Amino acid sequence: MRIIISPAKKMNVADDVLPYQGLPVFLDRTEEILEWLRSLSLKEAQKLWGCSDRLAQLNYERLTAMELTGRLTPAVISYEGIQYQHMAPAVFEDRMLEYIQQHLRILSGFYGVLKPMDGVVPYRLEMQAKAAVGGSGDLYEFWGRSLYEETIDESGIIINLASKEYSRCIEKYLQSRDVYITCVFGELDGGKVKQKGTYAKMARGEMVRFMAENQVTEPEGLKGFDRMGYSFSEKFSTNTEFVFIRGGKADIE
């Protein structure tokens, strides 16, 4: 079974927390992206990133000095978004780190697919960016089916905890034999399930922690998730979408 999550925009160098274990599998293709990014002017890069002048300058300077094999941080430690804060991998027990290294995959516009302990450097590049690398129209075309092929394992089971921007990299290439389950974290509003972005990000991180703590290896094990006031809803769930409602079991019967 594999679990997919999105990266985070905010990254940090923290090479003294945990040692990295190996390099990203598509590092040669990342080098191709880096070369393309370096060919852009500051103005072109800022348009691609869609960020402030300050962030554009910072990330443009990063490109100039970037070394893909120097001063590396494990990916799961480097990303600092809400999901990763709630996952809190820096305080995982060894068995939990082993679990995510085997089962968790981080999708990335820059690196493609990352194991949690792969060594990375800070970068800025979202999957939906219109980056015409290698003659491709965008990063979805550049990566193609390679991300799916690298993610899927012999079980054929993928648990989707990624945003739509990243999950579409996998969904387009799913085979009829695959089991693909998306986790939805929401609240009831007029009898309908509504997701709130920040809470959903928090819950995704908590779900990864829950799975690692309980060594979940089958989809059925996800249904026991009870963090942040969420409970599994049999009523709103399907075979391909597990829905967790915030607010107590009484609200979901």
Side-chain angles (χ1 to χ4, degrees), residues 6-215:
S6 306
K9 288 183 182 178
K10 187 177 180 182
M11 297 182 71
N12 191 23
V13 175
D15 51 3
D16 57 348
V17 178
L18 290 170
Y20 73 90
Q21 300 175 18
L23 298 174
V25 65
F26 294 124
L27 195 60
D28 58 335
R29 304 193 71 186
T30 299
E31 290 173 346
E32 185 178 351
I33 294 174
L34 177 57
E35 183 178 349
W36 181 84
L37 288 171
R38 284 174 170 165
S39 72
L40 303 178
S41 67
L42 174 58
K43 186 176 181 179
E44 290 171 332
Q46 183 173 6
K47 183 179 179 181
L48 179 75
W49 293 326
C51 63
S52 67
D53 291 348
R54 182 184 64 82
L55 284 174
Q57 187 64 46
L58 169 66
N59 284 282
Y60 199 71
E61 290 172 359
R62 275 179 174 172
L63 288 178
T64 303
M66 187 175 289
E67 294 183 18
L68 296 177
T69 57
R71 203 180 176 197
L72 303 178
T73 301
V76 76
I77 301 295
S78 183
Y79 293 115
E80 292 190 332
I82 293 172
Q83 178 176 5
Y84 292 85
Q85 292 170 19
H86 280 258
M87 191 193 312
V91 294
F92 273 16
E93 299 172 3
D94 287 346
R95 67 185 186 88
M96 295 167 66
L97 289 172
E98 291 170 3
Y99 174 90
I100 61 171
Q101 183 70 355
Q102 179 180 353
H103 297 285
L104 184 67
R105 295 295 180 266
I106 303 167
L107 304 179
S108 163
F110 190 59
Y111 283 107
V113 177
L114 292 165
K115 293 180 180 178
M117 302 305 290
D118 283 350
V120 301
V121 296
Y123 67 90
R124 187 181 183 93
L125 187 65
E126 297 181 51
M127 186 65 78
Q128 60 190 359
K130 299 297 183 181
V133 184
S136 61
D138 55 27
L139 291 173
Y140 294 109
E141 183 181 342
F142 175 80
W143 289 112
R145 66 180 296 113
S146 61
L147 306 193
Y148 163 78
E149 292 174 348
E150 179 62 25
T151 298
I152 198 76
D153 67 2
E154 65 279 358
S155 73
I157 301 171
I158 296 177
I159 305 301
N160 174 29
L161 293 173
S163 64
K164 290 181 180 179
E165 175 186 353
Y166 289 91
S167 62
R168 63 179 284 195
C169 302
I170 303 298
E171 291 170 355
K172 182 178 180 179
Y173 303 100
L174 290 171
Q175 305 297 301
S176 58
R177 63 180 180 274
D178 296 333
V179 176
Y180 185 79
I181 299 172
T182 297
C183 291
V184 174
F185 302 95
E187 299 176 13
L188 284 182
D189 183 358
K192 295 184 178 180
V193 178
K194 299 289 182 67
Q195 285 200 90
K196 295 183 178 180
T198 299
Y199 280 113
K201 290 177 181 178
M202 292 177 179
R204 289 169 186 154
E206 295 281 355
M207 176 61 89
V208 174
R209 169 174 279 276
F210 169 84
M211 296 176 75
E213 286 178 351
N214 294 279
Q215 303 286 293

